[in-house]
């Protein structure tokens, strides 16, 4: 599969996944990420999976207008729910992976990116990194596993 939204480099048993560009659309990204994670799980040469936030790329959200349009169109609603199911599979793969999954963060982490980062086994962040659940401001609860992973990381009260 050719990837449009992500790239992966493997060097010295470490697979580094980089999202290409900021404000990555969820549709399309989920197909690519799921395919790549399944491939990396099977690759015996890979011992660690690292997500890298080159150019602030942990920034992918559902767009409220697009969701409203999809909900009005029965065919598109199925696509929206298919994306949600793929997201759940991605988060489950990450959490059940026998290989450590690490996020290296130096910029803004937003919306779905926050859910993805929270699902990693380890997060390494610079002082300039920021974390925002922006979907909540639009009335959309992020469905990148954030409702389950965030309370485990920071406690129920803070979450």
């Amino acid at each position: 599969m050719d990837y449009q939204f992500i790239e992966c480099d493997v060097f010295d048993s470490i697979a580094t996944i980089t999202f290409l560009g900021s404000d990555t659309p969820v549709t399309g990204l989920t197909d690519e990420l799921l395919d790549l994670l399944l491939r990396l799980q099977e690759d015996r040469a890979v011992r660690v999976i690292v997500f890298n936030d080159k150019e602030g790329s942990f920034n992918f959200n559902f767009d409220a207008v697009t969701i409203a349009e999809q909900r009005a169109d029965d065919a598109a609603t199925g696509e929206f729910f298919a994306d949600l199911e793929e997201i759940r599979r991605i988060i489950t793969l990450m959490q059940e992976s026998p290989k450590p999954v690490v996020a290296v963060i130096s910029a803004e982490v937003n919306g779905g990116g926050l859910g993805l980062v929270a699902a990693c086994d380890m997060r390494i962040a610079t002082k300039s990194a920021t974390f925002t659940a922006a979907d909540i401001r639009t009335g959309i609860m992020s469905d990148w596993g954030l409702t389950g992973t965030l309370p485990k990381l920071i406690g129920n009260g803070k979450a």
Side-chain angles (χ1 to χ4, degrees):
M1 174 180 219
D2 289 327
Y3 301 126
Q4 178 182 354
F5 302 110
I6 55 178
E7 67 180 25
C8 180
D9 296 313
V10 178
F11 179 75
D12 203 18
S13 301
I14 300 170
T16 302
I17 301 170
T18 303
F19 297 98
L20 303 175
S22 59
D23 295 322
T24 305
V26 172
T27 303
L29 169 68
T30 55
D31 293 336
E32 292 182 12
L33 189 54
L34 183 59
D35 179 76
L36 179 58
L37 287 173
L38 288 169
R39 288 174 188 241
L40 293 175
Q41 292 290 347
E42 298 298 319
D43 189 340
R44 291 184 176 189
V46 173
R47 297 185 65 204
V48 178
I49 300 169
V50 176
F51 286 99
N52 178 15
D53 77 342
K54 176 183 171 186
E55 299 175 15
S57 55
F58 285 129
N59 218 4
F60 36 93
N61 299 296
F62 283 114
D63 175 45
V65 174
T66 303
I67 290 173
E69 289 170 355
Q70 288 177 332
R71 298 287 302 230
D73 178 6
D74 290 337
T77 301
E79 182 180 318
F80 172 72
F81 286 114
D83 283 341
L84 291 180
E85 184 56 35
E86 282 189 342
I87 290 168
R88 288 185 192 101
R89 287 187 64 201
I90 290 166
I91 298 301
T92 301
L93 270 173
M94 291 171 58
Q95 292 175 330
E96 294 179 354
S97 175
K99 301 173 183 186
V101 181
V102 179
V104 178
I105 308 149
S106 62
E108 180 183 14
V109 177
N110 190 354
L114 181 59
L116 183 97
V117 165
C120 291
D121 297 310
M122 180 183 288
R123 290 145 299 280
I124 302 168
T126 65
K127 289 182 180 182
S128 61
T130 60
F131 302 86
T132 309
D135 289 340
I136 294 171
R137 284 189 244 143
T138 61
I140 302 169
M141 189 60 195
S142 179
D143 201 4
W144 281 82
L146 195 57
T147 56
T149 55
L150 194 59
K152 289 178 185 174
L153 291 174
I154 65 173
N156 288 334
K158 290 180 182 177

